[in-house]
Amino acid sequence: QVQLVESGGGLVQAGGSLRLSCAASGRTFSTDGMAWLRQAPGKGREIVATISWTGISAYYIDSVKGRFTISRDDAKNTLYLQMNGLKPEDTGVYYCAASRTGYASRTTNFDSWGQGTQVTVSS
């Protein structure tokens, strides 16, 4: 099982940017599908973005398209989420997750999860 640790969260004003990182250890994650999910206060967890093991295929929920970019650096065993144009509704705990199938989607049963990093966007 790969261990995942998120970082980069914080408090930012609306319109600002943050870059989340997810460092993997325990084994290489280069063949894993990866995802960022978030959980807003009082709501369920939702997928925000996914990336395939090749890095070629990426998916975003409609609300973040054009603002967020998911990427991976397999040499550093790290997943990223660049978040620009942040809105108060982006507030939540952001988690990264890994799937040994090589792909990730809303129905994926992820093999590994990070502990989450808090993102708070003030209006």
Side-chain angles (χ1 to χ4, degrees):
Q1 188 176 15
V2 65
Q3 287 77 48
L4 304 173
V5 178
E6 302 94 338
S7 61
L11 174 64
V12 64
Q13 289 188 330
S17 298
L18 285 174
R19 188 193 195 200
L20 304 185
S21 298
C22 171
S25 63
R27 63 169 176 80
T28 179
F29 77 167
S30 62
T31 58
D32 288 17
M34 301 295 296
W36 286 99
L37 303 93
R38 69 185 177 191
Q39 187 163 18
K43 296 186 178 181
R45 194 174 297 182
E46 64 172 350
I47 275 205
V48 174
T50 69
I51 189 166
S52 64
W53 71 278
T54 62
I56 295 175
S57 298
Y59 162 83
Y60 301 91
I61 58 172
D62 288 344
S63 61
V64 308
K65 284 181 180 177
R67 300 189 296 123
F68 290 12
T69 302
I70 188 172
S71 62
R72 62 191 300 157
D73 186 337
D74 291 342
K76 295 182 178 179
N77 238 23
T78 302
L79 177 74
Y80 301 101
L81 185 68
Q82 178 67 44
M83 306 188 294
N84 299 327
L86 283 161
K87 303 177 180 180
E89 51 264 43
D90 294 318
T91 293
V93 179
Y94 282 70
Y95 302 86
C96 65
S99 169
R100 300 197 73 169
T101 66
Y103 297 91
S105 73
R106 289 178 295 173
T107 60
T108 296
N109 290 320
F110 293 100
D111 303 289
S112 302
W113 291 84
Q115 84 291 347
T117 185
Q118 176 71 45
V119 172
T120 303
V121 184
S122 63
S123 58

